[in-house]
Amino acid sequence: MKPVEECIIGIVGLGLMGGAVALALRKCGAAGKGKLLACDTDSSALNAALAGGVIDEGFVSPEALLERADLVYLCLNPSTLLSFMKARMGSFKNGALITDIAGVKGAICAAMEETLREDLDFIPGHPMAGSEKGGYACSMYCDFRGKNYILTPLKRNKGEHIDYIKKLIRRMGFGKVTETSAAEHDRKIAFTSQLCHVIAAALIDCEADTNITSFGGGSFEDLTRIAMLNAPMWTELFIENSSALLSRIGQFEKSLGEIKALVESGQARVLEERLAAVRERRLLMNA
Amino acid sequence: MKPVEECIIGIVGLGLMGGAVALALRKCGAAGKGKLLACDTDSSALNAALAGGVIDEGFVSPEALLERADLVYLCLNPSTLLSFMKARMGSFKNGALITDIAGVKGAICAAMEETLREDLDFIPGHPMAGSEKGGYACSMYCDFRGKNYILTPLKRNKGEHIDYIKKLIRRMGFGKVTETSAAEHDRKIAFTSQLCHVIAAALIDCEADTNITSFGGGSFEDLTRIAMLNAPMWTELFIENSSALLSRIGQFEKSLGEIKALVESGQARVLEERLAAVRERRLLMNA
């Protein structure tokens, strides 16, 4: 791969995350001597990014982007990504390096392991940064600094390509970069991300009184901010990763039920010990 | 009541909240021409507050404070408050105005309605501001600005005293002040505060891997910050308000179970509609 400054980088999908990736690439000087291209079916996002100087060229159809891009950042929902790769496999530039941002990795990794064109390389990734706000217009609220990034490399990935992407990720401002398998990613993300979104949604779902926030002291607001979710995308993520997610919901329900039983039976000492252990564990997670 | 600048104000309990109340009273000029006193069994908290100029005098025993204070801010856990009032009822200055900060109001209001000395007035309150950090040393992290404050007046409270306390609350920086019954407070707080703490605790309780935060993107961190809770205090609050809390846990479990069933059966369209309705409801709560 040529130095990232000299690359033509193509971003496919200029929504919240695509926009945030474009902004971070622009700021860190990637494609500075090359070009930053983007395609999206929504021309208003492209026009805004062009007007803001975030991208150099915009396309409503991906062909002209794919045939020129040395590096392609696929910023699509999992199902759109899979159908995009199937339909456009022939259009990528010879030797292009591809990465993505999808929140569930199992199906994508399996498909790419089997069907990726011989000359291409695809490093599956998941930037752990988002926002309850959606769309290109909100991409500036999506702060990458210090955030986690997960890579789930394919067996066929070249080591130098993984290093190349990792270096770019750090340059974009991310903190810890973790490499793991797609299965491990999906199991852990089911907990840290999907279960949390299900819980936030259930908390809002179970109370119709929108004036209840007069009684809020910050906890409720913090726990339910992510309930302002992108419903189509999260539906897809939940169902795509349903087996891991259902197991995580079950795990949570068990703990919830046990704490409930301690409250119900008034076992103050046992409850206090359990809460103290929770506190200690959570403090360790900060370390 | 004399103007609050001229009052001798006594704070009973100089922990996280007592310290934050002292700081806010000092900053807003209350007792500026009077005195700000505090008592706590922990002399190190008193010494820190004296050294920082936050209080004028500190006492390890409450007698000398209670006999002088025109206004008493009880910053104690509910059970400690009840035993304190029982033991010290005779020590309050004639005509003193009392308020508190306890997170559960039913038992306190019932006891004060029945047993409060004739010449005293007690306005039960709950500042909806706290921190997962505890103790006087952390009281500066407890930011009152714009936060909610709930008052659950007794039948016997004088209107002018309620107004007096409300004015003081606003002066301390709080935002919305809501008056409601103790029962209504306890039902609503069981949802916005206690249920949220139970959920955060269950989320940490159900996963032993403290390295899971490498896979965190903010949601998990936001949902579990309050799991760093003060275990003895929250045990007391949960058990004291168990009937309302258990009903709220049940309400939440029902919604969680229904969302789980939609994921399990892969009913994407119904799930998406439900999540979209959640999003709309949560957005209304911001309004």
Side-chain angles (χ1 to χ4, degrees), chain A:
Chain A
M1 283 292 291
K2 60 176 88 170
V4 78
E5 295 79 13
E6 296 167 23
C7 280
I8 295 184
I9 305 183
I11 295 167
V12 177
L14 206 60
L16 174 76
M17 288 301 292
V21 164
L23 213 60
L25 290 172
R26 186 52 105 203
K27 277 190 192 164
C28 79
K33 295 177 201 164
K35 291 270 185 196
L36 199 51
L37 316 180
C39 66
D40 198 294
T41 50
D42 172 12
S43 60
S44 69
L46 295 170
N47 291 336
L50 284 167
V54 176
I55 59 169
D56 298 306
E57 297 175 39
F59 306 89
V60 286
S61 147
E63 302 303 334
L65 177 148
L66 292 180
E67 65 190 23
R68 289 165 63 197
D70 307 299
L71 174 61
V72 179
Y73 234 113
L74 298 172
C75 300
L76 302 170
N77 288 1
S79 64
T80 318
L81 186 152
L82 283 170
S83 54
F84 182 90
M85 287 304 289
K86 207 168 176 183
R88 311 289 180 175
M89 191 70 85
S91 307
F92 285 87
K93 183 176 174 181
N94 194 45
L97 180 57
I98 308 163
T99 190
D100 77 315
I101 62 140
V104 184
K105 307 269 46 134
I108 290 168
C109 289
M112 290 304 104
E113 206 66 91
E114 283 178 25
T115 65
L116 192 68
R117 231 174 64 196
E118 201 59 42
D119 61 298
L120 304 174
D121 207 4
F122 186 116
I123 320 275
H126 182 189
M128 299 297 298
S131 165
E132 70 280 3
K133 302 179 181 74
Y136 176 78
C138 292
S139 53
M140 77 269 275
Y141 300 119
C142 199
D143 186 1
F144 290 165
R145 282 171 302 172
K147 296 286 168 65
N148 292 318
Y149 206 113
I150 320 293
L151 294 177
T152 59
L154 308 179
K155 283 186 206 108
R156 50 175 291 165
N157 287 154
K158 288 190 182 148
E160 63 191 81
H161 287 164
I162 298 177
D163 292 343
Y164 187 93
I165 291 290
K166 276 175 144 176
K167 225 179 271 177
L168 182 60
I169 289 168
R170 293 233 173 72
R171 211 163 139 166
M172 290 164 79
F174 285 92
K176 192 170 185 177
V177 184
T178 302
E179 280 183 58
T180 188
S181 68
E184 186 74 359
H185 169 276
D186 290 356
R187 273 196 297 276
K188 291 192 169 168
I189 288 306
F191 182 69
T192 57
S193 174
Q194 294 168 353
L195 173 61
C196 292
H197 281 77
V198 166
I199 287 171
L203 250 170
I204 296 297
D205 187 81
C206 78
E207 175 57 60
D209 175 10
T210 55
N211 292 320
I212 195 94
T213 40
S214 300
F215 290 76
S219 311
F220 176 73
E221 294 76 357
D222 282 352
L223 263 73
T224 60
R225 195 164 295 114
I226 54 171
M228 291 178 271
L229 39 63
N230 174 333
M233 185 182 81
W234 285 98
T235 299
E236 189 175 307
L237 293 173
F238 292 166
I239 289 182
E240 176 63 34
N241 201 29
S242 63
S243 138
L245 175 57
L246 290 167
S247 140
R248 293 300 194 168
I249 296 175
Q251 190 181 335
F252 169 75
E253 284 177 324
K254 184 169 175 287
S255 281
L256 181 64
E258 287 169 11
I259 294 173
K260 183 185 178 189
L262 292 175
V263 173
E264 199 153 20
S265 59
Q267 295 181 67
R269 189 178 300 180
V270 187
L271 178 58
E272 186 179 327
E273 278 167 13
R274 190 123 174 193
L275 295 179
V278 157
R279 174 185 164 78
E280 288 312 307
R281 185 181 285 173
R282 181 60 178 78
L283 286 169
L284 280 175
M285 289 177 175
N286 281 345

Side-chain angles (χ1 to χ4, degrees), chain B residues 97-177:
Chain B
L97 180 57
I98 308 165
T99 190
D100 78 315
I101 61 141
V104 185
K105 309 268 44 135
I108 291 169
C109 290
M112 290 305 102
E113 205 69 90
E114 282 178 25
T115 66
L116 192 68
R117 233 173 62 195
E118 202 57 44
D119 61 298
L120 304 174
D121 207 4
F122 185 116
I123 320 274
H126 183 190
M128 299 298 298
S131 165
E132 69 281 2
K133 300 180 181 73
Y136 176 79
C138 292
S139 53
M140 76 268 275
Y141 300 119
C142 199
D143 187 1
F144 290 165
R145 283 173 301 174
K147 297 286 168 65
N148 291 318
Y149 206 113
I150 319 294
L151 293 177
T152 59
L154 308 179
K155 282 186 208 110
R156 49 176 292 165
N157 286 153
K158 289 189 183 149
E160 64 191 81
H161 287 165
I162 298 177
D163 292 342
Y164 188 92
I165 290 290
K166 275 176 144 176
K167 225 179 269 177
L168 182 59
I169 289 168
R170 292 235 174 70
R171 212 164 138 166
M172 290 165 79
F174 285 92
K176 192 169 186 180
V177 184

Side-chain angles (χ1 to χ4, degrees), chain B residues 67 70 128 199 233 241 247:
Chain B
E67 68 190 20
D70 307 300
M128 299 298 298
I199 287 171
M233 184 182 82
N241 201 29
S247 139

